[in-house]
Amino acid sequence: MSLDVAVAVPFRQKGKTRLGEGAFVVALSLDRDWFSPDQAKRLIDVAAGRGLVSREDGEVVAEFDPNAVDVPENFTPDASVLREQSTFEMILDALVAAGHEKQTVVATVNERQRDLGVTLETAAVLYARRNGVDVADAAEKARGELLES
């Protein structure tokens, strides 16, 4: 996914797994000219929401191995990486990454939602758990969304 790649690049460029927030923003905005500084800060927020990075004492910390991410030679992220994914999209991505066919997952989850009378996210979590795909973070986010409503 391009979000993973866009986030990995500054860490790989500096050869570190921790960068000051300013250095991270500069790497994406001035060094690469991929985003404006405000967009680069937004990217940090989105990446933190996905569990790719965390913030500690003014630093952005990679919660994955940036060197394990394949960065295509002429990679340029598109603006869609700045959009936060819905809980359902996060679960769907995890299922597809685990080898499940996207159309089959969507159809089955929709059917389960109708049959059980639950939210789409709940049906997706159930599908993932029954198929051995770990979506604990998304399940917790879905639970929080239910409690807020």
Side-chain angles (χ1 to χ4, degrees), residues 108-124:
T108 305
V109 167
N110 284 333
E111 183 179 328
R112 177 151 297 139
Q113 178 191 17
R114 280 190 306 275
D115 292 348
L116 298 176
V118 296
T119 66
L120 182 64
E121 294 78 11
T122 301

Side-chain angles (χ1 to χ4, degrees), residues 24-98:
F24 190 91
V25 168
V26 166
L28 292 172
S29 60
L30 297 177
D31 295 349
R32 296 284 175 157
D33 196 28
W34 285 348
F35 303 106
S36 71
D38 286 341
Q39 289 174 319
K41 290 176 185 175
R42 174 74 181 135
L43 184 75
I44 296 170
D45 293 338
V46 172
R50 295 284 313 278
L52 293 172
V53 300
S54 60
R55 288 183 166 116
E56 296 177 14
D57 301 322
E59 291 187 313
V60 180
V61 181
E63 297 296 334
F64 65 102
D65 180 1
N67 293 316
V69 176
D70 181 39
V71 179
E73 189 172 323
N74 293 318
F75 172 78
T76 302
D78 59 37
S80 70
V81 300
L82 300 174
R83 184 180 65 82
E84 268 188 83
Q85 283 189 309
S86 71
T87 304
F88 175 73
E89 289 171 323
M90 291 170 57
I91 297 166
L92 183 59
D93 280 355
L95 287 161
V96 170

Side-chain angles (χ1 to χ4, degrees), residues 1-33:
M1 170 194 274
S2 59
L3 176 63
D4 300 348
V5 178
V7 172
V9 167
F11 293 112
R12 289 172 59 137
Q13 180 178 315
K14 302 291 185 185
K16 299 179 179 183
T17 58
R18 298 176 75 94
L19 293 173
E21 186 169 330
F24 190 91
V25 168
V26 166
L28 292 172
S29 60
L30 297 177
D31 295 349
R32 296 284 175 157
D33 196 28

Side-chain angles (χ1 to χ4, degrees), residues 49 84-87 90 135-146:
E84 268 188 83
Q85 283 189 309
S86 71
T87 304
M90 291 170 57
V135 292
D137 290 343
E140 188 58 37
K141 184 175 178 185
R143 182 179 180 277
E145 290 168 355
L146 283 172

